[in-house]
Amino acid sequence: MKKEQNQAKKTAIKPENQILKRIVIFAILLVNLIVFYPSTKCGFIDWDDTVYVTENPNIALNSKNIKQSFTKGETHGVYAPLTALSLSMNFAQAKMNPKPYHITNIVIHLITVLLAFFLLFSLSKNLLFTAIVTLFFSLHPAQVESVTYIAGRRDLLFSLFAIASMLLYIKYKTKEKSSLYWLSIGCFLLSLLSKTQALLFPFLLFVVDYFLNLKVITRKNIVEKIPYFILMIVFGIVAVSVKQASPEFKITDEALEFPFFYRVLFGLWGYVLYIYQVLVPNHLSLIHPYPNAFPGYGYLGVVLACGVLYWCYWLFKHNKKTTLFGVLFFSINLVLMLQFFPNSYGLLNDHYLYLPILGIGILIAHYVLSLNPKYRKVALGFIGIYITVLTVSTINRIEVFSNPITVNTDVIEKYPDSYVAYNNRGSAFYKKNDLEHALQDYNQAIELFPKSAYSLNNRSVIYLTIGKFDLAMADLNKAISIKPDYADAYSNRAITKTYTKDTTILADHNKAIELKPKDRQSTRLNSSH
């Protein structure tokens, strides 16, 4: 601890030298603006953008839809009313023009970066440390999925308010102003309303107390956390209830086919992969599908998890506050996303890393600045090169998110067996009226996963469009046999029957209306997530 304090004294910015601090802040924000502005040329990418914006029946900005979001959540089984409200505000102004949505995402990202800078500086009082971590956090290529992907708005908003809440909490602890305490609770509430990934935030406050050399286990300190934990419990119950009540919420079949024991192993292995993705982001992808079988090397996840737990104990025992803070910041913000209880498609999701990356940045910067002075300059040079390489990778990755075809092609290049990516790229080709390539992708998706009801339904739409009604009927019959509650397949089969003179057409129409009474669309394509 003494060594850490001495190091902080050597590199800390003098209180009167605020001009340098402002220059650094301005430079970081300017670089982020330059790097991410090209994303304003990107479109919707038809993954979660569909359920949040392009096919969201409640996207219009009105009191009915706002009430629906806050009381019942979104139709796809997610409780994120503040995110939904912000997207509805974009829709009211821009309709289906993606540029204003992207500009809003960039602005939120810049505000989050600014708050992260203030948070790091308030903890370290070290400008060089703060600059390194902020640059690593803000320019990492994994952040592209949250900033450039319109549906990534949820990650941006929850992170912004979580960082604001922690910053206000730290100021409350140093100034003892009750107004700061209640503002911190208010920001935590806004974070939860943006995305429930913030649920475990109250535990981070105990880590902050430890870092600030405050007595953690005292009656006053525990009582102060009660409102945070009440919100955590309430929103945890709400999130589960909304998922269970939504007929639109879909979990990947691959995840549910594995016994719970293997889902735990997948979660621990996912933790390993997330660390790798942060340090060596050469395999980022919109989709990270589950492997067909649990890999033997996946058991390393158990070893690493046990190693991290022991490391945390060792760090606590030896009073290594900064390192322990970084490890726990990364782990606590990520643990709910490790798919122990599957809540989305795929083993990993890059956008889950948006806030946790800050923890890894803290570890890297602290390690470099703790080196012997004769090695520190060399290490800082390597860090500069590393962040530059990450920034170039970020610029290149933004191009991947240009449209649904480019983003799904990127997934296919990294996961050639991903039937979901072929299905979704096929839908993108269909919307461009490129039926030949759409049919090729649907064929490939079905070859990889013959039980994909969504791909069968989508291929039937191609057959229906080109007049191959018997093939369309065969695909739809099979899709319904696989998924008997598939409203879109019933609707498409009813349309197909109008061409085959089948007299049972009314039964399919009635079934489609029964399963999805609010749907007025004719032929429907579906994403496989």
Side-chain angles (χ1 to χ4, degrees), residues 190-482:
L190 293 175
S191 183
L192 289 168
L193 288 169
S194 303
K195 187 182 182 183
T196 50
Q197 187 175 344
L199 279 173
L200 298 185
F201 176 81
F203 293 101
L204 276 174
L205 297 182
F206 285 113
V207 181
V208 170
D209 292 336
Y210 167 73
F211 185 86
L212 296 176
N213 294 316
L214 301 174
K215 290 184 179 180
V216 177
I217 308 300
T218 66
R219 183 177 182 277
K220 180 177 181 296
N221 200 43
I222 293 174
V223 169
E224 284 176 347
K225 306 299 186 299
I226 289 176
Y228 295 94
F229 278 97
I230 289 174
L231 287 173
M232 181 189 79
I233 293 168
V234 169
F235 274 82
I237 294 171
V238 169
V240 172
S241 301
V242 168
K243 276 184 172 59
Q244 291 178 340
S246 172
E248 297 296 314
F249 180 68
K250 296 176 282 189
I251 286 292
T252 173
D253 294 333
E254 294 94 322
L256 297 177
E257 285 175 359
F258 288 103
F260 178 72
F261 170 73
Y262 280 101
R263 296 208 296 269
V264 171
L265 292 178
F266 272 124
L268 296 176
W269 178 235
Y271 182 73
V272 178
L273 295 178
Y274 275 121
I275 294 173
Y276 176 82
Q277 292 282 56
V278 175
L279 297 176
V280 189
N282 63 348
H283 206 70
L284 297 173
S285 175
L286 179 67
I287 303 171
H288 295 276
Y290 280 85
N292 294 327
F294 186 78
Y297 54 78
Y299 288 97
L300 290 172
V302 178
V303 177
L304 181 67
C306 293
V308 169
L309 286 173
Y310 176 77
W311 190 31
C312 288
Y313 167 75
W314 185 91
L315 291 171
F316 176 77
K317 187 176 179 181
H318 291 82
N319 210 27
K320 304 291 185 180
K321 293 182 181 294
T322 305
T323 305
L324 183 58
F325 181 84
V327 174
L328 292 179
F329 190 95
F330 175 79
S331 302
I332 291 173
N333 278 305
L334 190 61
V335 66
L336 286 179
M337 304 294 107
L338 293 180
Q339 305 299 306
F340 297 124
F341 300 95
N343 55 49
S344 67
Y345 180 85
L347 180 60
L348 307 176
N349 284 280
D350 295 345
H351 63 90
Y352 290 161
L353 284 169
Y354 184 79
L355 184 58
I357 281 178
L358 203 62
I360 301 295
I362 289 170
L363 293 177
I364 292 172
H366 177 63
Y367 173 75
V368 170
L369 295 181
S370 297
L371 291 173
N372 187 295
K374 65 180 180 180
Y375 302 120
R376 192 182 305 142
K377 287 185 179 180
V378 175
L380 286 172
F382 278 113
I383 286 296
I385 295 171
Y386 181 43
I387 292 176
T388 301
V389 171
L390 291 178
T391 303
V392 172
S393 179
T394 295
I395 293 169
N396 293 332
R397 183 134 189 88
I398 288 171
E399 295 182 6
V400 170
F401 280 77
S402 296
N403 56 66
I405 294 175
T406 56
V407 78
N408 283 294
T409 298
D410 178 69
V411 176
I412 291 167
E413 288 173 356
K414 290 162 183 173
Y415 297 100
D417 293 336
S418 175
Y419 75 92
V420 173
Y422 278 107
N423 175 82
N424 295 347
R425 191 174 69 173
S427 297
F429 279 128
Y430 175 80
K431 291 176 182 178
K432 290 175 68 69
N433 204 33
D434 186 347
L435 301 186
E436 179 182 353
H437 284 103
L439 184 58
Q440 288 175 5
D441 276 354
Y442 290 142
N443 287 339
Q444 185 64 29
I446 294 166
E447 182 179 337
L448 289 168
F449 188 52
K451 293 183 179 180
S452 174
Y454 302 112
S455 298
L456 288 163
N457 172 75
N458 293 347
R459 188 171 68 176
S460 76
V461 174
I462 301 291
Y463 287 145
L464 180 59
T465 303
I466 62 179
K468 295 185 177 182
F469 306 120
D470 291 341
L471 293 177
M473 185 65 72
D475 276 353
L476 290 166
N477 288 338
K478 188 173 182 181
I480 290 170
S481 69
I482 294 169

Side-chain angles (χ1 to χ4, degrees), residues 488-501:
D488 294 340
Y490 283 105
S491 178
N492 289 341
R493 192 169 70 174
I495 294 169
T496 305
K497 286 179 178 180
T498 62
Y499 295 97
T500 60
K501 310 300 182 184

Side-chain angles (χ1 to χ4, degrees), residues 28 32 36 108-117 119-120 129-144 146-147 155-156 159-160 163 278 329 353-362 364 386-387 390-391 394:
I28 291 173
N32 270 271
F36 283 103
I108 297 172
H109 173 65
L110 293 177
I111 296 171
T112 305
V113 171
L114 182 63
L115 291 177
F117 183 95
L119 173 65
L120 293 162
F129 172 89
T130 300
I132 292 172
V133 181
T134 307
L135 286 168
F136 179 81
F137 160 72
S138 61
L139 296 172
H140 195 284
Q143 309 299 46
V144 172
S146 296
V147 182
D155 304 285
L156 300 173
S159 300
L160 184 154
I163 292 172
V278 175
F329 190 95
L353 284 169
Y354 184 79
L355 184 58
I357 281 178
L358 203 62
I360 301 295
I362 289 170
I364 292 172
Y386 181 43
I387 292 176
L390 291 178
T391 303
T394 295

